[in-house]
Amino acid sequence: MATTAASSLQMATARPCISSSHRVFRSGAAMLHGNVKVVSSSKLSSACHISSVQSFQRSFTSSSLKMDKFVTKAMAGSSENKPSGLPINLKGKRAFIAGVADDNGYGWAIAKSLAAAGAEILVGTWVPALNIFESSLRRGKFDESRMLPDGSLMEITKVYPLDAVFDTLDDVPEEVKSNKRYAGSSNWTVQEAAEAVKSDFGSIDILVHSLANGPEVTKPLLETSRKGYLAAISASSYSYVSLLKHFLPIINPGGSSLSLTYIASERIIPGYGGGMSSAKAALESDTRVLAFEAGRKKRIRVNTISAGPLRSRAAKAIGFIDMMIDYSLVNAPLQKELSAEEVGNTAAFLASPLASAITGSVIYVDNGLNTMGVGVDSPIFEKLDIPKDQH
């Protein structure tokens, strides 16, 4: 069963792609891991030749006005030479994004945001989509969507073939091995992909799971077969367990791992069937357990982003993506269409040192739709004075 790239309603086709340039950037890592030491008051007094903390406090109070002027001047002076704000800096970091097969889904958007923050990008693409994706990259078909905020183009250092449904080559049925869509590709199971990345680069810092597939997604749960249900679980949730299991040895301590989920894990979304809601619920539960296990083993943070509906190519295959977007526009606290970039930027934040204490969490990026208890577009509420976006 082929895995799919998780975009929009977290249902899209994905698999690893081709290899672009093979450059490695490893600068600036030390800056991201600087240690700030807290000095005790006794050491502070000694160093400043102050006899006691009390005298230090009196001295500080008496000169507060002078100090305030000094600090203000110092801050003003430093701002002329240093960038303002709190930038996300991933320079020297390397990310592997599993589930990029085109330039239209969340996986691509995450890759772009990580690249914009300075990370080196490796991607995994579903084997049957590999040639098309590679060809599109080579011919410049994605150049417009590769554009980063500074005007440069996102570079994909290498693209790996990947089918995350299979952990090892022994798991692959003969009919898949002999399938012409897999002809010419090798080392595309999860274990082999991790070994290939280790051989090529040694280690990574960020692992992203952007995969989902449910062969019976259009069927109600009551009509879903055991085979279809288990296929959805395998491709959409266990694939993440497998990826983290095999990549964990090469993720640098303090790294980050991310996946994509959907509100159907905890709310009823008619039409999102075939066991996909169950798979997303499993993914979120696994996120918490994996956060504990990977955190204790290697200080790896594990989070998942619950993204709202996106008008991606993969999501359109479900059949009701336009309705879900319209519903969100009317009912969410923020009445705007969600962009893939907003999910990508959240991923960059979660992968950065700015999120160093966030793990085991479901982060909602859906314009706040998850907070609503009712759909305010219902005729029942037509007489209520419900505010609407005035912009």
Side-chain angles (χ1 to χ4, degrees), residues 2-20:
T3 6
T4 327
S7 53
S8 174
L9 284 187
Q10 312 308 320
M11 260 318 310
T13 328
R15 296 332 135 102
C17 196
I18 68 171
S19 137
S20 226

Side-chain angles (χ1 to χ4, degrees), residues 65-382:
L65 182 59
K66 186 185 295 183
M67 179 64 74
D68 179 66
K69 292 180 179 179
F70 172 77
V71 170
T72 302
K73 183 178 180 181
M75 290 178 67
S78 63
S79 66
E80 295 175 1
N81 302 316
K82 296 180 180 180
S84 59
L86 192 64
I88 293 176
N89 188 344
L90 295 176
K91 289 182 179 178
K93 303 298 182 182
R94 182 180 296 119
F96 182 87
I97 300 102
V100 180
D102 57 34
D103 63 342
N104 195 239
Y106 284 139
W108 179 271
I110 290 172
K112 278 188 66 177
S113 292
L114 294 177
E120 180 183 12
I121 304 301
L122 314 175
V123 303
T125 303
W126 185 43
V127 184
L130 185 63
N131 289 335
I132 295 176
F133 184 66
E134 179 178 27
S135 174
S136 296
L137 279 174
R138 190 170 51 242
R139 294 179 321 185
K141 184 178 179 181
F142 298 149
D143 282 0
E144 184 177 351
S145 56
R146 286 172 59 204
M147 187 75 68
L148 299 177
D150 65 359
S152 65
L153 295 181
M154 173 181 67
E155 292 291 337
I156 298 177
T157 301
K158 188 165 184 177
V159 184
Y160 292 86
L162 175 67
D163 193 327
V165 165
F166 305 109
D167 300 326
T168 69
L169 193 59
D170 292 337
D171 300 324
V172 183
E174 191 57 44
E175 60 266 26
V176 174
K177 291 179 181 178
S178 59
N179 190 308
K180 64 180 181 180
R181 296 196 299 172
Y182 287 75
S185 294
S186 60
N187 301 323
W188 42 260
T189 64
V190 177
Q191 181 186 60
E192 291 171 315
E195 290 173 348
V197 172
K198 180 180 179 180
S199 175
D200 291 339
F201 299 98
S203 65
I204 63 172
D205 304 279
I206 302 161
L207 176 67
V208 178
H209 175 277
S210 181
L211 297 167
N213 185 47
E216 299 180 19
V217 65
T218 58
K219 291 184 179 180
L221 188 57
L222 280 173
E223 297 176 15
T224 300
S225 69
R226 182 185 296 271
K227 182 179 179 181
Y229 183 94
L230 294 178
I233 295 289
S234 173
S236 309
S237 52
Y238 184 77
S239 58
Y240 186 41
V241 176
S242 179
L243 275 170
L244 191 51
K245 172 185 176 181
H246 288 94
F247 275 84
L248 188 63
I250 66 170
I251 302 178
N252 291 319
S256 174
S257 184
L258 302 166
S259 65
L260 288 166
T261 186
Y262 180 54
I263 192 65
S265 63
E266 53 186 289
R267 301 282 189 271
I268 300 167
I269 307 293
Y272 194 74
M276 279 305 302
S277 58
S278 307
K280 291 303 181 182
L283 181 66
E284 293 178 16
S285 177
D286 291 343
T287 294
R288 291 182 283 272
V289 178
L290 292 172
F292 176 79
E293 295 180 357
R296 291 299 181 95
K297 284 190 175 188
K298 293 192 66 175
R299 290 190 295 111
I300 306 300
R301 295 179 293 106
V302 182
N303 295 290
T304 186
I305 297 173
S306 184
L310 176 71
R311 215 180 301 271
S312 69
R313 296 186 189 96
K316 289 177 181 178
I318 303 175
F320 64 101
I321 183 63
D322 291 334
M323 288 185 287
M324 292 305 300
I325 291 174
D326 291 342
Y327 178 86
S328 181
L329 281 170
V330 175
N331 293 288
L334 298 178
Q335 289 189 281
K336 63 180 183 63
E337 187 165 334
L338 182 70
S339 73
E341 182 183 13
E342 291 171 308
V343 172
N345 290 343
T346 301
F349 162 72
L350 289 172
S352 78
L354 298 180
S356 60
I358 301 176
T359 193
S361 297
V362 178
I363 308 298
Y364 297 92
V365 185
D366 62 357
N367 289 324
L369 186 62
N370 72 93
T371 64
M372 299 300 296
V374 296
V376 295
D377 61 345
S378 170
I380 295 175
F381 299 107
E382 62 184 7

